[in-house]
Amino acid sequence: MDPKISVHITGTGRAVPDRILTNQDLEKMVDTTDEWITTRSGIKRRHIIGPGQSNSDFVAQACRNALAMAQVDAADVDFLLVGTITGDLIFPSTACLVQEKIGARNAAAWDLSAACSGWLYGVKTATALLKTGMGKRALVVGSEMLSTITDWTDRSTCVLFGDGSGATLLEAREDSPGGVLATYARTDGGLAELLHIPKGGSRYPVTPEVLAERSNKVQMKGNEVFKHAVRNMESAAREVLAQAGLGTGDVTLLIPHQANIRIIKAIASRLEIEMDRVYVNLQEYGNTSAASIPIALDEARRAGRVREGDRVLMAAFGGGLTWGAALVQF
Ligand code: UT7
């Protein structure tokens, strides 16, 4: 690591499908109510991909928006990392397809599978690469088309998820204060079955039986995931603050993974951060997994909620189980 090099988020962008699915639409699909979804999760609507659209289309648009904000040419990007569990194809990676779409011809491109923590894991990876001088610019993306892996007959999960992409451009700078102050990432593979797709991979390939039982779709033990989410996002947030020698009072804005308003409120309360310093947009998008923080960050920046010098604390949690946090000064 070169202590003179700091890594800055200089561009953000997002792209989401136009098509919207409301809680009222879901009332017609499964045995649920707008009242239950709103009070138990805080979600009102979500954006859903349409026929002929693909994950890489939205990633490409989000990347173009991030590059335009930073005024950087795609050809000057060294790394392109896409956090996703819903890539266009099994292979090549979605990052490869995006590299071609946006003309990032000098970038090494790959996908990163860490479910809802995918973008944060990407930030950690890219920060390390840039700090060691291996490159100068990295596009780090979180993008999911969760509607394609949702069991639309399971009311306990189908009301929660949505589709969208969020991109960030990370740039290495010399002798420039701020940037990524600290990152943290952890995994507990022993809890994999709390949130997973049991079949449809190489261990249990898709068969007519798998399709009939819909075991190639997301399954979640929501209650248990909830408890781990609160505990681990709080500890990850405290870890990055400790690394940076800062306290929660030094945080301008908390952007937590947008899974459930009750989880977000519980974390904010444990960290003693008032809700007016917490960014919430899950009512509009639902849980977009790896995309949720970069979409929220882009909204917050474009709305003037993140200004130069502001410190933004971000924490995520998801399948794996994986979790992590990042503290960034803009
Ligand atoms: O993205 C990363 C990971 N994911 C998460 O962070 C999600 C974490 N978990 C959660 O957000 C919450 O656990 C849920 C929103 C998934 C569920 O909320 P809950 O308060 O934990 O509800 P529950 O699972 O304990 O279910 C309570 C009741 C049950 O009925 P009974 O057994 O009490 O009669 C469920 O069958 O609510 C029922 N229920 C529903 N009712 C109406 C479950 N889903 C629905 C629904 N509409 N959509």
Side-chain angles (χ1 to χ4, degrees), residues 23-170:
N23 289 354
Q24 286 73 21
D25 294 330
L26 282 160
E27 284 177 349
K28 295 178 201 132
M29 295 163 62
V30 286
D31 180 16
T32 192
T33 60
D34 171 46
E35 202 265 334
W36 191 95
I37 303 169
T38 306
T39 54
R40 306 310 283 176
S41 74
I43 298 163
K44 298 297 282 184
R45 62 193 78 81
R46 63 290 288 148
H47 295 243
I48 301 289
I49 196 171
Q53 296 181 315
S54 68
N55 194 339
S56 63
D57 295 335
F58 292 96
V59 176
Q61 192 51 48
C63 286
R64 287 186 201 106
N65 295 344
L67 290 166
M69 182 190 277
Q71 297 184 302
V72 166
D73 195 287
D76 294 326
V77 172
D78 301 298
F79 306 109
L80 170 50
L81 278 71
V82 179
T84 191
I85 53 164
T86 49
D88 286 22
L89 306 166
I90 291 177
F91 82 95
S93 69
T94 296
C96 291
L97 306 177
V98 172
Q99 187 236 15
E100 162 66 13
K101 283 186 184 181
I102 67 171
R105 58 182 178 278
N106 296 308
W110 68 97
D111 285 0
L112 202 154
S113 175
C116 305
S117 312
W119 177 78
L120 271 177
Y121 270 53
V123 168
K124 188 172 181 68
T125 307
T127 300
L129 288 167
L130 299 183
K131 266 187 175 276
T132 49
M134 287 189 182
K136 290 209 173 331
R137 293 178 194 88
L139 275 165
V140 180
V141 184
S143 183
E144 301 292 5
M145 301 299 132
L146 291 180
S147 63
T148 63
I149 56 166
T150 296
D151 178 353
W152 290 103
T153 66
D154 176 5
R155 69 175 183 173
S156 71
T157 55
C158 76
V159 301
L160 302 172
F161 302 126
D163 300 340
S165 301
T168 45
L169 181 73
L170 274 61

Side-chain angles (χ1 to χ4, degrees), residues 1-323:
M1 298 280 170
D2 184 338
K4 284 206 302 261
I5 298 178
S6 53
V7 175
H8 299 257
I9 297 182
T10 57
T12 59
R14 67 180 189 276
V16 297
D18 292 333
R19 196 168 143 214
I20 287 172
L21 188 72
T22 64
N23 289 354
Q24 286 73 21
D25 294 330
L26 282 160
E27 284 177 349
K28 295 178 201 132
M29 295 163 62
V30 286
D31 180 16
T32 192
T33 60
D34 171 46
E35 202 265 334
W36 191 95
I37 303 169
T38 306
T39 54
R40 306 310 283 176
S41 74
I43 298 163
K44 298 297 282 184
R45 62 193 78 81
R46 63 290 288 148
H47 295 243
I48 301 289
I49 196 171
Q53 296 181 315
S54 68
N55 194 339
S56 63
D57 295 335
F58 292 96
V59 176
Q61 192 51 48
C63 286
R64 287 186 201 106
N65 295 344
L67 290 166
M69 182 190 277
Q71 297 184 302
V72 166
D73 195 287
D76 294 326
V77 172
D78 301 298
F79 306 109
L80 170 50
L81 278 71
V82 179
T84 191
I85 53 164
T86 49
D88 286 22
L89 306 166
I90 291 177
F91 82 95
S93 69
T94 296
C96 291
L97 306 177
V98 172
Q99 187 236 15
E100 162 66 13
K101 283 186 184 181
I102 67 171
R105 58 182 178 278
N106 296 308
W110 68 97
D111 285 0
L112 202 154
S113 175
C116 305
S117 312
W119 177 78
L120 271 177
Y121 270 53
V123 168
K124 188 172 181 68
T125 307
T127 300
L129 288 167
L130 299 183
K131 266 187 175 276
T132 49
M134 287 189 182
K136 290 209 173 331
R137 293 178 194 88
L139 275 165
V140 180
V141 184
S143 183
E144 301 292 5
M145 301 299 132
L146 291 180
S147 63
T148 63
I149 56 166
T150 296
D151 178 353
W152 290 103
T153 66
D154 176 5
R155 69 175 183 173
S156 71
T157 55
C158 76
V159 301
L160 302 172
F161 302 126
D163 300 340
S165 301
T168 45
L169 181 73
L170 274 61
E171 292 192 77
R173 285 186 184 156
E174 283 197 20
D175 300 317
S176 173
V180 179
L181 302 178
T183 59
Y184 178 77
R186 281 291 177 273
T187 302
D188 186 348
L191 298 172
E193 290 185 5
L194 292 187
L195 175 51
H196 67 157
I197 294 180
K199 295 185 182 170
S202 58
R203 180 160 39 150
Y204 302 111
V206 175
T207 60
E209 292 72 34
V210 166
L211 293 176
E213 65 188 19
R214 288 183 290 277
S215 53
N216 60 330
K217 302 291 180 184
V218 174
Q219 295 181 7
M220 176 168 71
K221 295 193 174 73
N223 255 321
E224 289 180 54
V225 173
F226 191 110
K227 288 178 220 151
H228 288 285
V230 174
R231 201 178 311 133
N232 291 330
M233 277 203 278
E234 182 203 357
S235 68
R238 290 197 185 283
E239 178 69 32
V240 290
L241 286 167
Q243 278 182 39
L246 297 169
T248 54
D250 300 307
V251 172
T252 319
L253 191 67
L254 170 65
I255 304 183
H257 172 45
Q258 307 284 312
N260 187 314
I261 190 64
R262 293 183 293 137
I263 295 176
I264 292 175
K265 285 185 173 166
I267 292 160
S269 154
R270 283 167 174 235
L271 293 172
E272 295 180 14
I273 296 179
E274 319 78 61
M275 285 304 288
D276 61 359
R277 284 196 288 144
V278 181
Y279 197 83
V280 177
N281 67 0
L282 58 77
Q283 66 282 0
E284 177 63 31
Y285 301 106
N287 178 350
T288 57
S289 185
S292 89
I293 293 178
I295 288 175
L297 177 62
D298 182 55
E299 277 193 351
R301 281 201 88 189
R302 289 176 194 270
R305 296 239 356 230
V306 178
R307 298 203 164 85
E308 207 168 319
D310 285 354
R311 291 192 197 97
V312 179
L313 174 60
M314 295 163 277
F317 182 87
L321 296 180
T322 58
W323 63 96

